Amino acid sequence: MFSVLAAESLELAVKFIDIGSLSVPVTVFIVLAYYILLPPRIIQPFVAAVSGSVLYLAALASVLPVHSSSFVNSAVYLLLANAFGAFFLYTFGRSLRREYAAMEDLKKLVAVDELTGVCSRRRVLEAGDCLFKSALRFNSKLSVLMMDIDHFKKVNDDYGHCVGDEVLKETASRCSDVLREVDHFGRLGGEEFLIILPHSGVHDGIKVAERLRSCIRERMFKVGESYLPVSVSLGVAELRGHDDFKSLIQEADEQLYRAKKCGRDLVCPAGLKIVRQVHLNEVSVK
């Protein structure tokens, strides 16, 4: 913009006799068009427009008396054009910030479960689908865990949904502390969670599942003045001949159902017997 106004200033100084009567309206129009058609998003373009306007007035002052009506009118026109630009920059910037904040809130709403702070259902399923395809392509290991809080409906019925929400948040927090940064942990809905373990086979999945089960079971949940015993059941499945990520989740879900059917507070891996106790340094399958 500064270059355009500098060119206009040079043209004015050289050809004032021929174009002086038309140069001011054209220049003001250029400034206005600059703000309207190319709205500046940072302060530098605004500074360029103001500097160019000052340069143009300086060129005009070299060929017209400063006190003349033509010069005064030109200065007023350019002042109004830049005042409009400043107002437009301010309001446009506020609008952009509001739009950006709304977009960020929308992204966060889509990607993060509002209650627990872990991945949303949509986000964890999208991540799982990508990891599944990557594991197939590079022939790497992949395990998934389906986790469900035992007797969660009874917690809601006996203590209310507020206490149930606190149990969900504390469960998610404890599990997040156990998992690696590369693992994906999300809430599918209600009291059901999905954990995706890249580069992990079924035995690695069993170890992680048992850590999760232990971190929930070992310490009672303090909610207000109440202490609640909480346990979880987990199903483990490994990528092995599955057609898609949905079938892998379905197998883990079937193992979760088997764990709940066999008494809950258990880890049930696909293709193996139910895990009743797993030490952190070795897998013990009974």
Side-chain angles (χ1 to χ4, degrees):
M1 183 58 192
F2 181 81
S3 300
V4 172
L5 290 179
E8 286 289 315
S9 301
L10 180 61
E11 185 180 18
L12 173 67
V14 175
K15 301 180 179 180
F16 175 74
I17 296 177
D18 297 325
I19 65 173
S21 60
L22 297 176
S23 60
V24 170
V26 171
T27 305
V28 173
F29 174 78
I30 290 174
V31 173
L32 288 174
Y34 169 73
Y35 285 118
I36 295 173
L37 301 178
L38 298 173
R41 302 191 180 192
I42 50 178
I43 196 64
Q44 285 85 346
F46 174 72
V47 173
V50 173
S51 301
S53 299
V54 172
L55 178 62
Y56 183 85
L57 289 176
L60 187 62
S62 67
V63 295
L64 282 177
V66 174
H67 56 78
S68 67
S69 59
S70 296
F71 181 87
V72 172
N73 289 339
S74 300
V76 170
Y77 292 150
L78 288 173
L79 175 64
L80 291 176
N82 283 285
F84 168 80
F87 175 76
F88 188 77
L89 174 65
Y90 174 73
T91 55
F92 185 77
R94 287 186 62 187
S95 177
L96 280 181
R97 286 192 293 271
R98 285 196 298 266
E99 181 181 352
Y100 177 78
M103 289 297 295
E104 288 299 309
D105 290 342
L106 181 59
K107 289 179 181 178
K108 185 176 180 180
L109 184 64
V110 171
V112 179
D113 180 67
E114 185 177 6
L115 177 63
T116 61
V118 301
C119 292
S120 66
R121 176 188 178 93
R122 176 176 177 177
R123 180 69 183 90
V124 74
L125 291 177
E126 287 178 349
D129 189 57
C130 291
L131 289 171
F132 180 89
K133 293 176 181 177
S134 177
L136 283 180
R137 180 178 180 183
F138 297 104
N139 195 27
S140 59
K141 295 180 179 180
L142 179 69
S143 293
V144 299
L145 281 58
M146 290 287 291
M147 185 180 76
D148 189 271
I149 301 176
D150 298 329
H151 304 295
F152 185 71
K153 184 177 184 302
K154 182 174 174 58
V155 173
N156 280 332
D157 292 342
D158 293 349
Y159 298 95
H161 289 277
C162 291
V163 172
D165 289 347
E166 292 300 319
V167 169
L168 285 171
K169 288 190 285 188
E170 179 64 17
T171 298
S173 176
R174 292 189 188 184
C175 292
S176 296
D177 293 339
V178 171
L179 296 171
R180 304 170 299 178
E181 290 186 2
V182 296
D183 299 330
H184 292 263
F185 178 40
R187 182 186 177 200
L188 293 182
E191 69 275 21
E192 195 169 51
F193 296 86
L194 174 66
I195 301 100
I196 307 170
L197 308 175
H199 307 290
S200 302
V202 65
H203 285 79
D204 297 320
I206 292 171
K207 290 180 181 180
V208 174
E210 182 57 26
R211 288 192 186 102
L212 295 173
R213 189 192 69 82
S214 298
C215 80
I216 301 299
R217 193 76 170 105
E218 67 186 7
R219 194 170 74 252
M220 298 182 73
F221 284 42
K222 185 178 186 301
V223 182
E225 300 299 324
S226 303
Y227 286 86
L228 308 179
V230 178
S231 65
V232 294
S233 299
L234 298 104
V236 183
E238 179 186 18
L239 172 58
R240 188 179 298 171
H242 297 86
D243 296 328
D244 51 28
F245 184 61
K246 183 178 180 180
S247 62
L248 181 58
I249 294 178
Q250 184 176 354
E251 185 175 11
D253 194 46
E254 290 171 358
Q255 300 309 313
L256 171 61
Y257 178 77
R258 186 158 71 105
K260 293 170 69 175
K261 188 177 179 180
C262 293
R264 293 183 170 84
D265 193 19
L266 299 172
V267 173
C268 186
L272 297 172
K273 295 182 180 180
I274 291 177
V275 177
R276 296 196 177 275
Q277 185 176 5
V278 176
H279 298 289
L280 297 184
N281 58 349
E282 62 178 346
V283 179
S284 173
V285 182
K286 298 184 180 179

